[in-house]
Amino acid sequence: MASNNKQTSNDVSFLAAKTLRDKNASNIAKSLAASALSQSRNKNQTGAEMEDLASRVLSSSKYSNETKTLAGSVLSQSNKKR
């Protein structure tokens, strides 16, 4: 399996933490935020299910720029072979 050594940036980690504290954030945004935070300062990789969710968010016009930023970060840390 090819590894991906990318980690969530400080800016995206801050956004993810803010999203998780936001009572008005959607469940999708919170899922992406949790995934992004789990990949901060370690070498965790995005799972296939989260990869699919992030891809759907990026291709939809109904999500905010913040949610798309989280999705982009999560997707960039996916397994290179998938």
Side-chain angles (χ1 to χ4, degrees):
M1 179 186 316
S3 66
N4 186 338
N5 295 323
K6 292 182 181 179
Q7 296 178 4
T8 303
S9 70
N10 289 338
D11 288 344
V12 175
S13 292
F14 178 79
L15 174 61
K18 182 178 136 190
T19 300
L20 288 172
R21 289 189 306 268
D22 183 354
K23 65 180 180 180
N24 295 316
S26 69
N27 287 337
I28 289 175
K30 287 186 176 190
S31 292
L32 292 166
S35 180
L37 274 181
S38 77
Q39 297 170 37
S40 178
R41 297 195 174 123
N42 64 51
K43 295 179 182 176
N44 289 348
Q45 290 184 1
T46 303
E49 186 177 313
M50 193 56 63
E51 202 175 295
D52 181 56
L53 174 64
S55 178
R56 285 186 280 132
V57 166
L58 287 172
S59 62
S60 173
S61 62
K62 76 176 191 174
Y63 295 101
S64 69
N65 287 340
E66 290 84 6
T67 302
K68 287 188 175 194
T69 296
L70 294 168
S73 177
V74 166
L75 202 55
S76 75
Q77 296 173 65
S78 64
N79 183 311
K80 298 282 188 197
K81 290 218 173 190
R82 262 193 297 238

